[in-house]
Amino acid sequence: MWRSKLTEGFSDHKRLVLGIWIGGFILSGVASPMLITVTRYNYAPPSMTLWPLYPLYLGNLLAGFFGTSTSGEQRRDATKLFGLDAAGQAFTNLGLLAAGPSTCTIFYKSVTVFTGLLSIVFLPAASHPTAWQWFAMLIITAGLGLQGIDLSSFGPLERWGAGLTVFGCIFFAGGAVASEGLLAARRGGLAPLQAAWIVGVEGTAVSLAWAIGSAAMGEWLPGDAGFWLLFLALTLSAAMHQAAWFTLVGRIGAVATAVLKALQSAFIFLSAGAAFCHRESAECLTTEKITSFIIVSIGVLVYTRTAGGVAAREPADSAQLVGDRPAPPIYGRAGCA
């Protein structure tokens, strides 16, 4: 039976659990921008309310509720992650609201390359992409970039959204690299659900402060039950995605998780085309989008077949998967998506 090198060194049970985390990560990552876009169509929320951040950080809280208590040092570490995540979320969500899911996803591809570059600067050599992995990342970037070639067809709002998305991706890449270092650096470090809890607490506090000070939020907030059902769905989706994000970064590394984000982005092309083509022609499936999905899938396949060193990262027990205690040491090594 074919097995990806990404999961070599894991027992069959842990490989199954890892596969569930990966599946949940991709599915929830596709669901969130779709739900955000449905809300944008139906309720026209003002972008400066930063409303997508509220279910995001509540989702972190929900995921982190199942973790254990944290020490002062763990809280300080997670606060660093929150700062990077908050900047990335703010810029990419503004980009999503300005440009729509397909355009935002085109430029979200940059997170894979930014993560690879930052890993070279800040992570040990065992975490650096190999030559074949860089090749795979270039395939992925080229595949996602098929839709971004004709920038002249983008309107001013789409260009603004694209720029915000790329800028946000730099912070996301930094957060991924920092997460790998903090989740894997030492015994007594952060466990995935502990990280989710602290990011959720701080993010919810900052979001509430923003909401209280935002006149646009008070003027817009709808009482319609449909809005709150979408809000609940977004919160649950965010809980799955954030728990999976922190878990996968600790298990397979920042760069590999960024590659999964790229695969997720390709699925968003297809999903947005199926769901929103009747609302916006820019979201419709085209030959380029289908070709993009195929090329990205090939790039992910190349990456997973050449990923090495994962066996050295497997913890002695399942603590890091379930977040029931601080993560043991592991050596080597979350807008539109």
Side-chain angles (χ1 to χ4, degrees):
M1 183 176 66
W2 180 86
R3 287 179 176 175
S4 167
K5 290 189 178 181
L6 201 62
T7 60
E8 280 185 0
F10 292 94
S11 66
D12 287 341
H13 170 71
K14 290 182 178 179
R15 185 180 290 111
L16 174 62
V17 174
L18 183 63
I20 292 172
W21 277 118
I22 291 173
F25 179 71
I26 292 175
L27 289 174
S28 59
V30 172
S32 291
M34 301 291 286
L35 290 167
I36 288 172
T37 302
V38 169
T39 305
R40 177 169 64 90
Y41 285 151
N42 293 342
Y43 299 99
S47 60
M48 289 310 297
T49 60
L50 298 180
W51 65 272
L53 299 186
Y54 304 112
L56 168 73
Y57 289 121
L58 287 173
N60 271 279
L61 274 178
L62 180 60
F65 179 79
F66 298 96
T68 57
S69 60
T70 55
S71 67
E73 184 177 7
Q74 289 171 329
R75 286 191 290 274
R76 286 190 293 273
D77 285 345
T79 296
K80 300 172 187 175
L81 300 183
F82 165 69
L84 292 165
D85 181 75
Q89 293 291 351
F91 286 114
T92 55
N93 275 289
L94 286 173
L96 171 63
L97 293 171
S102 290
T103 299
C104 185
T105 298
I106 292 165
F107 291 93
Y108 192 87
K109 68 184 183 292
S110 58
V111 74
T112 305
V113 175
F114 285 139
T115 304
L117 293 172
L118 291 177
S119 71
I120 293 175
V121 177
F122 295 106
L123 293 177
S127 292
H128 298 174
T130 65
W132 271 105
Q133 288 166 354
W134 275 115
F135 176 65
M137 289 160 64
L138 289 174
I139 293 175
I140 291 167
T141 302
L144 288 172
L146 283 177
Q147 291 298 302
I149 294 173
D150 187 11
L151 295 179
S152 63
S153 65
F154 286 10
L157 193 61
E158 286 179 308
R159 293 179 185 177
W160 178 244
L164 289 171
T165 299
V166 172
F167 191 59
C169 284
I170 298 174
F171 291 98
F172 273 143
V177 171
S179 293
E180 178 177 344
L182 293 174
L183 288 169
R186 60 192 180 278
R187 186 173 297 278
L190 279 169
L193 298 187
Q194 290 175 319
W197 172 258
I198 298 168
V199 169
V201 169
E202 296 182 354
T204 300
V206 171
S207 297
L208 287 175
W210 181 273
I212 292 170
S214 173
M217 177 63 79
E219 295 170 358
W220 163 76
L221 193 65
D224 185 79
F227 169 80
W228 292 107
L229 285 174
L230 286 169
F231 188 93
L232 175 61
L234 266 169
T235 300
L236 295 175
S237 176
M240 177 70 249
H241 197 66
Q242 294 303 104
W245 164 262
F246 286 117
T247 297
L248 291 173
V249 165
R251 294 290 287 183
I252 63 177
V255 178
T257 306
V259 168
L260 290 176
K261 292 288 282 185
L263 179 61
Q264 167 193 307
S265 297
F267 278 109
I268 292 174
F269 278 152
L270 304 182
S271 302
F276 305 129
C277 181
H278 67 288
R279 296 290 298 265
E280 291 186 55
S281 60
E283 303 296 347
C284 294
L285 282 176
T286 62
T287 302
E288 289 82 2
K289 289 182 180 180
I290 295 172
T291 304
S292 171
F293 176 79
I294 295 171
I295 292 175
V296 169
S297 299
I298 291 172
V300 172
L301 181 64
V302 171
Y303 185 95
T304 58
R305 289 297 291 167
T306 58
V310 176
R313 300 177 191 143
E314 183 177 13
D317 56 31
S318 60
Q320 194 164 7
L321 277 178
V322 298
D324 55 1
R325 63 178 69 88
I330 310 171
Y331 303 101
R333 222 326 251 186
C336 321

